[in-house]
Amino acid sequence: MSSAAVTNIAIGILVLAFVLYRQLTTQRLRENYRLPLILAIIGIVQFAAFLKGHPRDDGGIAAAVAGSLVIAAVFGAVRALTVRVWRQDGVLLRRGTWVTAVLWVISFAAHLGYDYLIAGNVVSGKNGSSVGDATVLLYLVVTLTVQRYLLMLRAERQEAAGRLATEDS
């Protein structure tokens, strides 16, 4: 495994650990997309570096990236169902469950597994990194954004219907 691949995976694991911590602690639920935006910028830089050194296989890369991002969206939607949302002291709060954490780990593994199944060793950069390694942050951006959007939507609907919990239960 190349140093670029190790770096990309290490960054992805650090981000995943940070995300898991934030998902499992009580956090304010806001329509703030600052973290996904920062991760998207870093992810685009990583992916651009990968594209500079890849052999010409645009179809394989496109299939790997598109499929992976669809998986990200699906996992984000499913995980949103496992997160508790409530209003306390006028503040909208959320906290994930152990199921949320398990789904995060499975989601991360699905991203890398899908990349290996679709792209395998055929689509790799000159530095030996794979499409999955190079797009791990983009994957996290999509899955985080879908989850947050659906949580906000659910909270708005529950509040409008008078069904939003007023404390963590």
Side-chain angles (χ1 to χ4, degrees):
M1 186 177 292
S2 73
S3 64
V6 171
T7 300
N8 288 342
I9 290 173
I11 289 170
I13 289 172
L14 288 173
V15 169
L16 178 64
F18 175 72
V19 167
L20 279 174
Y21 167 76
R22 301 263 311 160
Q23 292 284 307
L24 298 177
T25 58
T26 300
Q27 299 290 326
R28 192 173 191 173
L29 179 59
R30 295 178 275 196
E31 263 190 295
N32 177 345
Y33 294 94
R34 184 180 54 217
L35 177 62
L37 180 61
I38 291 167
L39 295 178
I41 292 167
I42 296 168
I44 289 168
V45 169
Q46 282 183 327
F47 188 53
F50 168 81
L51 289 175
K52 286 182 183 176
H54 84 283
R56 230 36 201 154
D57 185 12
D58 296 334
I61 291 173
V65 173
S68 179
L69 296 182
V70 167
I71 291 170
V74 168
F75 269 103
V78 171
R79 264 194 332 273
L81 298 171
T82 69
V83 176
R84 295 184 193 118
V85 178
W86 71 97
R87 185 167 296 281
Q88 184 174 329
D89 300 326
V91 178
L92 193 57
L93 300 170
R94 60 115 181 116
R95 183 174 60 226
T97 64
W98 67 270
V99 176
T100 311
V102 169
L103 287 171
W104 266 108
V105 173
I106 293 170
S107 172
F108 191 76
H111 168 68
L112 296 176
Y114 177 81
D115 169 60
Y116 182 77
L117 288 174
I118 297 301
N121 294 322
V122 177
V123 182
S124 61
K126 67 181 177 188
N127 59 9
S129 66
S130 71
V131 176
D133 299 344
T135 60
V136 70
L137 288 181
L138 294 176
Y139 180 89
L140 289 172
V141 165
V142 170
T143 199
L144 269 172
T145 302
V146 167
Q147 179 181 328
R148 182 173 298 170
Y149 174 77
L150 292 176
L151 284 173
M152 290 298 300
L153 190 63
R154 182 176 68 177
E156 288 172 8
R157 286 183 179 166
Q158 285 179 347
E159 198 156 44
R163 294 183 296 130
L164 186 63
T166 56
E167 61 183 64
D168 185 22
S169 49

